[in-house]
Amino acid sequence: MEPKTKIRILVVEDEKIVAIDLKQALRMMGYEVCRVVDSGADAVKAVRWDKPDLVLMDIVLQGQMTGIEAARHILEFADLPIIYITAHSDEKTFKQAKQTGPYGYIIKPADERDLKTAIEVASFKFRMEKQLKESRRWFRDIFEQNLDSIVLIRHSDFKILDANPRAEFLFQYSREELLEDFSVLFQNQTMFIYFKEAVYSFRDMHEDSFLDRCRLKKRDGTDIVCSIKANAINPGGVEVLY
């Protein structure tokens, strides 16, 4: 069965018979082979020209550039998954290859099932990572551009993880200063402890925290009366209050 959207693959292999077999096998599995090249330099050029979705890269290639070196050059300007396909399985080669963050490592001779599995897993992982990066970018934009003052607090130890520009503007403290000592916003340590206990008690009851008319202070000592609402999110399995 062919993939719903054909994955465009660049094959980098300097053994002609292996290259022909790979090309044929990939097309039989429903993939599009945009080009086959036999050197690292040509692989770098082909990525620029063809913009493939994935690269199958042999490690030992013709010319002065190895597949690992070619991958390093490619990743400087292109964001795409690279799978190494090689006869070399020694620890030294594996460590060097790992430094380029490959999405797979296939030992020759590879059967069609291993090849298809590696490509599908790499493509899926790449898509998920791309979506995660996009989600983080969206969150960062919303966080930084929000008109409300937002502070991120790790629930387990009440450590301040981040503060948005609006919080800096409102309280007249830099982000770094707020992260170092959030308690400077409170009239005294007693008020800060009360705030923490109130937030924890609400979280223990699985409710949002809301403190109305909480008296805080700016850097210059000016009092400021705020309504504070605390919600929880779980990025990466770590509960964060905001």
Side-chain angles (χ1 to χ4, degrees), residues 4-151:
K4 292 181 180 179
T5 302
K6 284 191 176 183
I7 298 172
R8 300 178 67 253
I9 299 175
L10 169 66
V11 176
V12 187
E13 171 60 64
D14 63 353
E15 294 183 44
K16 288 187 177 181
I17 295 177
V18 175
I20 292 170
D21 288 343
L22 271 175
K23 183 177 180 180
Q24 185 176 20
L26 291 169
R27 286 181 170 172
M28 288 290 291
M29 286 186 280
Y31 301 112
E32 179 183 344
V33 179
C34 57
R35 194 182 295 262
V36 177
V37 297
D38 60 8
S39 72
D42 285 343
V44 175
K45 292 176 184 177
V47 170
R48 290 188 185 275
W49 292 335
D50 300 315
K51 300 187 180 345
D53 300 314
L54 182 144
V55 178
L56 274 178
M57 178 80 75
D58 191 9
I59 289 181
V60 178
L61 296 168
Q62 296 179 8
Q64 297 180 340
M65 189 183 298
T66 67
I68 296 172
E69 291 168 337
R72 289 197 184 101
H73 285 291
I74 289 168
L75 294 174
E76 287 176 358
F77 64 87
D79 184 20
L80 79 171
I82 295 175
I83 297 174
Y84 288 117
I85 179 164
T86 179
H88 297 267
S89 58
D90 59 281
E91 188 64 23
K92 182 179 178 182
T93 301
F94 183 68
K95 284 183 177 180
Q96 290 176 340
K98 251 193 346 182
Q99 293 174 0
T100 60
Y103 280 73
Y105 197 93
I106 301 172
I107 304 299
K108 297 178 184 178
D111 61 30
E112 291 187 8
R113 185 178 63 178
D114 290 341
L115 190 59
K116 185 175 181 65
T117 298
I119 292 170
E120 292 300 319
V121 169
S123 298
F124 177 78
K125 181 182 176 184
F126 180 74
R127 288 197 305 272
M128 293 302 101
E129 288 180 353
K130 194 170 183 178
Q131 289 178 15
L132 180 59
K133 289 176 185 176
E134 185 68 13
S135 297
R136 287 174 175 169
R137 185 185 67 79
W138 273 84
F139 176 80
R140 175 54 57 179
D141 289 346
I142 293 171
F143 177 72
E144 292 184 349
Q145 297 173 25
N146 204 297
L147 296 179
D148 291 329
S149 299
I150 302 176
V151 176

